[in-house]
Amino acid sequence: MRAVVQRVLGARVEVEGACVARMERGLLVLVGVGRGDGPREVDWLARKLVGLRVFPDEAGRFDRSVVDVGGTIGLVSQFTLYG
């Protein structure tokens, strides 16, 4: 499993010009699933994403997770990550 993670203030996914998903502050994650990936890898990635400390605290230190800031996680399938 491969993932590209980006911290965002907002994001949206469009298909043929129509918005199919929208989110506010959080993490936008492009995920590529490969052969042999299963529940164990999904669990590992989920735990990793909610624990990433990539948001600033009051002092400006990047010490807060998406859970701490009340953000969301948007996952987008991206099979070309294995290409």
Side-chain angles (χ1 to χ4, degrees):
M1 187 171 296
R2 295 184 182 169
V4 175
V5 181
Q6 183 172 359
R7 194 170 34 108
V8 297
L9 294 176
R12 58 191 269 162
V13 177
E14 293 185 11
V15 176
E16 296 181 0
C19 180
V20 296
R22 177 177 295 169
M23 63 181 279
E24 299 297 324
R25 182 181 191 190
L27 300 174
L28 178 62
V29 185
L30 305 178
V31 180
V33 180
R35 293 177 196 244
D37 288 337
R40 182 185 220 160
E41 289 76 19
V42 171
D43 184 61
W44 178 87
L45 181 60
R47 290 175 188 273
K48 190 71 164 175
L49 290 173
V50 297
L52 284 176
R53 298 191 172 276
V54 295
F55 293 92
D57 61 13
E58 295 78 20
R61 295 178 307 221
F62 286 85
D63 193 31
R64 301 190 82 194
S65 71
V66 70
V67 175
D68 296 331
V69 299
T72 59
I73 297 176
L75 296 173
V76 178
S77 175
Q78 191 67 28
F79 65 90
T80 58
L81 287 173
Y82 274 91

